Amino acid sequence: MGEIRTLISAEEIDAKLAEVGSAITRDYQGKDLLVVGVLKGAFMVMADLARHIDLPVEFDFMAVSSYGASTQTSGVVRILKDLDQEIADRHVLIVEDIIDSGLTLNYLMKSLRVRKPASIEIAALLVKRGIQRVPIEVKYPCFDIGPEFVIGYGLDYAGRYRNLPYVGVMEGSPD
Ligand code: IMP
Ligand code: MG
């Protein structure tokens, strides 16, 4: 198995989430906010970001699948679990682990906009710089990274490594 190099430490992540959480707290003051985590990858950032949001928010989750076990995007997005909540006239904030091609979020945004939320914005832990195949506006980006495949802090390689408390890059062959 290859070595894992730390790209973003647990401390850096927490400091950034504190900043983003304060911005969200300020921006959604007095509004009815529903924070939506995109499973499975966003489970960790959702839990940690939530602790930095000082508002009476509600949480919900969606599960989508755009990848098989490979590291290449297929462009095919399936909704595996839909929201439990209605979002009409509510302010929705989608929390994603990573925006790569942008195809997953593009599809999600389209299918959620049809339900007429009062607003819909995106918070993403990681944004791969300049490789989006569709334009995506991320209101709360945490870290810009290069095109490399990353793991940890919710992100997997073939289902593993999600529990690493930091974001890392696999050096050499993953197998
Ligand atoms: P997109 O549709 O290409 O933007 O990809 C979105 C999804 O692909 C993310 O939510 C991740 O689940 C997965 N993904 C994209 N890049 C990476 C990566 O570098 N490591 C792990 N998962 C990734
Ligand atoms: Mg994902």
Side-chain angles (χ1 to χ4, degrees):
M1 193 178 77
E3 298 282 291
I4 299 166
R5 169 171 58 86
T6 302
L7 189 65
I8 309 168
S9 70
E11 292 73 23
E12 290 173 282
I13 293 170
D14 191 58
K16 179 57 81 173
L17 292 183
E19 253 175 54
V20 170
S22 301
I24 292 168
T25 301
R26 193 185 57 228
D27 295 350
Y28 289 94
Q29 210 66 240
K31 291 181 175 163
D32 175 27
L33 175 62
L34 179 69
V35 180
V36 172
V38 184
L39 295 172
K40 305 182 190 98
F43 81 99
M44 209 172 276
V45 59
M46 179 89 158
D48 286 343
L49 179 61
R51 279 173 259 220
H52 292 293
I53 300 176
D54 188 15
L55 294 170
V57 292
E58 279 190 72
F59 297 92
D60 204 345
F61 291 93
M62 288 185 85
V64 299
S65 163
S66 60
Y67 272 31
S70 96
T71 59
Q72 289 296 304
T73 194
S74 63
V76 177
V77 178
R78 284 187 302 150
I79 292 187
L80 306 176
K81 182 216 169 290
D82 203 345
L83 295 173
D84 296 332
Q85 309 265 342
E86 303 278 335
I87 59 168
D89 302 322
R90 304 193 67 185
H91 295 277
V92 176
L93 177 63
I94 298 182
V95 178
E96 251 290 31
D97 51 358
I98 188 165
I99 300 173
D100 183 353
S101 69
L103 292 171
T104 306
L105 264 187
N106 187 50
Y107 178 90
L108 258 187
M109 294 293 275
K110 269 195 211 153
S111 57
L112 294 180
R113 278 204 186 100
V114 173
R115 305 179 196 180
K116 303 263 183 274
S119 70
I120 183 159
E121 301 288 354
I122 299 167
L125 178 72
L126 306 170
V127 180
K128 287 190 182 173
R129 222 177 285 125
I131 62 166
Q132 281 72 56
R133 286 157 62 182
V134 284
I136 297 276
E137 209 183 301
V138 184
K139 183 157 191 203
Y140 305 101
C142 295
F143 299 96
D144 271 0
I145 61 169
E148 69 261 84
F149 192 83
V150 292
I151 51 168
Y153 203 75
L155 292 147
D156 72 305
Y157 172 74
R160 300 272 169 88
Y161 305 104
R162 292 191 196 275
N163 53 320
L164 295 178
Y166 56 90
V167 174
V169 178
M170 252 178 301
E171 309 268 67
S173 150
D175 310 303

